[in-house]
């Protein structure tokens, strides 16, 4: 933990998937202009990327991260034939992290494909001229053990001095149902892996969040859940990851995630949420502030 961050409560509120759909782009704008959103992660392969870049130019002060992507059924930035181990399904990325990990454990993913695709994603975003504050990953695949060294190498190559560490608290979020138990176990497995990378990030001079929230509530960050988390924010730098959208039905029709993005947008713009922030003297920041520390 950075010493100067340890004495106060600072909070990054980051919307993932900026550029994936116009409904997300609109929600990011509303969440920043009328709510507590401070940061967003831009997806280079998103179909609404150009719109997101255009909108971001008017969002003065918002943090812009790079959302490294290897999953989601999305197109690659490089031509699919140049990264064949990543584009097995209709010349696009595979559907989810489970399939990607299974393929990787079978030795079917070429690390050179990962490096070159992520390098192209970073270059595409940097070429917009937008000031980049940090790196994170779609479904957190930047923390998968085989891919993390690539993310770290690219962060150093492009002098990106902050990276998300998604290590939600171990005992947080257990729901006694088969689906809930599976998600809880997956969350803790990823959190343990992410936590193990902190020494390498520190050695490389990469700043990180100290605490993280959003995996167990992903896509369902209702107002009461946001307030619940805010009441547990401690000293240091915390990050809340969210997935707001301005049109839940349109997102579900396209992606079938089961996310309730409009409810998440309501949480971000809630007066009750803002009141809790003020009462608990939590400072809203972005990764830009970590870069300065």
């Amino acid at each position: 933990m950075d010493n100067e961050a340890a004495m106060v409560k600072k909070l990054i509120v980051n919307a993932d998937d900026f550029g994936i759909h116009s409904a997300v782009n609109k929600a990011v704008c509303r969440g920043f202009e009328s709510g507590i959103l401070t940061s967003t992660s831009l997806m280079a392969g998103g179909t609404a990327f150009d719109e997101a870049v255009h909108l971001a130019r008017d969002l003065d002060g918002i943090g812009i991260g790079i959302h490294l992507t290897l999953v989601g059924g999305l197109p690659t930035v490089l031509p699919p034939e140049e990264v064949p181990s990543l584009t097995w399904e209709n010349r696009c990325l595979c559907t989810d992290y489970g399939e990607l990990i299974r393929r990787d454990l079978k030795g079917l993913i070429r690390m050179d494909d990962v490096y070159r695709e992520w390098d192209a994603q970073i270059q595409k975003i940097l070429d917009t001229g937008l000031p980049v504050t940090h790196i994170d990953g779609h479904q957190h695949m930047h923390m998968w053990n085989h891919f993390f060294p690539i993310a770290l190498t690219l962060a150093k190559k492009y002098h990106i001095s902050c990276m998300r560490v998604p290590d939600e608290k171990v005992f947080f979020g257990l729901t006694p149902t088969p689906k809930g138990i599976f998600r809880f176990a997956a969350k803790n497995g990823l959190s343990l892996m992410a936590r193990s990378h902190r020494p390498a990030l520190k050695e490389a001079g990469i700043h990180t969040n100290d605490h993280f929230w959003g995996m167990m509530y992903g896509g369902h960050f209702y107002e009461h859940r946001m307030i619940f988390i805010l009441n547990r924010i401690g000293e240091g730098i915390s990050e809340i990851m969210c997935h707001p959208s301005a049109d839940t039905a349109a997102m579900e029709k396209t992606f079938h995630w089961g996310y309730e993005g409009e409810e998440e947008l309501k949480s971000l713009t809630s007066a009750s949420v803002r009141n809790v922030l003020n009462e608990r003297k939590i400072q809203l920041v972005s990764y830009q502030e970590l870069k300065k520390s």
Side-chain angles (χ1 to χ4, degrees):
M1 179 187 296
D2 294 331
N3 290 333
E4 57 265 43
M7 303 304 294
V8 296
K9 301 169 187 173
K10 296 186 177 183
L11 177 63
I12 299 163
V13 184
N14 190 91
D16 283 15
D17 306 332
F18 193 38
I20 198 171
H21 193 285
S22 288
V24 173
N25 294 349
K26 292 174 184 175
V28 167
C29 292
R30 293 178 193 171
F32 178 71
E33 293 170 343
S34 304
I36 66 167
L37 194 72
T38 63
S39 178
T40 190
S41 304
L42 182 58
M43 185 177 278
T47 57
F49 174 83
D50 290 340
E51 178 191 67
V53 170
H54 175 74
L55 292 170
R57 300 192 193 285
D58 293 326
L59 299 178
D60 187 35
I62 195 170
I64 301 287
I66 294 175
H67 203 49
L68 295 175
T69 305
L70 293 177
V71 297
L74 298 163
T76 50
V77 170
L78 290 176
E81 60 272 12
E82 292 187 16
V83 284
S85 73
L86 303 177
T87 55
W88 291 9
E89 295 165 346
N90 300 319
R91 294 166 59 86
C92 292
L93 298 168
C94 65
T95 303
D96 58 43
Y97 73 89
E99 180 61 25
L100 181 70
I101 288 171
R102 285 192 292 273
R103 291 179 183 180
D104 182 44
L105 293 176
K106 292 177 182 177
L108 300 176
I109 303 297
R110 294 176 54 198
M111 294 304 111
D112 183 59
D113 285 0
V114 176
Y115 179 91
R116 289 184 296 103
E117 172 59 23
W118 275 357
D119 188 67
Q121 291 178 16
I122 293 171
Q123 287 186 42
K124 181 176 178 179
I125 291 173
L126 292 177
D127 284 348
T128 68
L130 292 172
V132 168
T133 57
H134 70 285
I135 284 175
D136 56 36
H138 194 45
Q139 298 185 20
H140 308 298
M141 285 297 94
H142 69 303
M143 286 286 139
W144 178 244
N145 278 345
H146 289 173
F147 305 150
F148 169 73
I150 298 172
L152 181 58
T153 297
L154 289 168
K156 291 190 288 186
K157 174 182 178 179
Y158 289 105
H159 307 289
I160 301 171
S161 60
C162 299
M163 188 181 294
R164 169 194 285 168
V165 177
D167 57 346
E168 204 162 65
K169 292 186 182 300
V170 173
F171 296 107
F172 175 73
L174 177 60
T175 303
T177 65
K179 184 176 180 180
I181 292 170
F182 174 80
R183 186 167 185 170
F184 180 76
K187 178 265 294 188
N188 279 334
L190 173 62
S191 293
L192 180 63
M193 188 176 294
R195 202 169 297 128
S196 74
H197 297 317
R198 284 191 179 278
L201 289 164
K202 184 176 182 180
E203 183 178 356
I206 305 292
H207 300 288
T208 69
N209 52 299
D210 300 307
H211 315 288
F212 180 81
W213 308 91
M215 278 190 281
M216 293 305 293
Y217 288 164
H220 304 87
F221 227 130
Y222 309 125
E223 179 187 70
H224 71 276
R225 288 178 166 178
M226 187 76 72
I227 291 171
F228 178 82
I229 294 300
L230 292 178
N231 280 315
R232 282 153 183 79
I233 294 290
E235 293 178 344
I237 303 287
S238 298
E239 180 182 355
I240 285 178
M241 173 188 71
C242 57
H243 298 83
S245 81
D247 190 333
T248 296
M251 289 293 292
E252 185 62 18
K253 182 178 179 181
T254 303
F255 298 107
H256 316 295
W257 291 343
Y259 284 5
E260 297 183 57
E262 289 181 58
E263 290 300 317
E264 294 213 2
L265 181 56
K266 288 180 183 178
S267 299
L268 294 173
T269 56
S270 161
S272 297
V273 166
R274 175 71 72 172
N275 288 339
V276 174
L277 274 171
N278 293 336
E279 289 168 4
R280 301 209 64 238
K281 296 181 172 58
I282 299 170
Q283 299 178 21
L284 289 174
V285 299
S286 75
Y287 277 97
Q288 182 66 34
E289 280 71 24
L290 271 71
K291 288 175 62 177
K292 298 174 183 176
S293 63

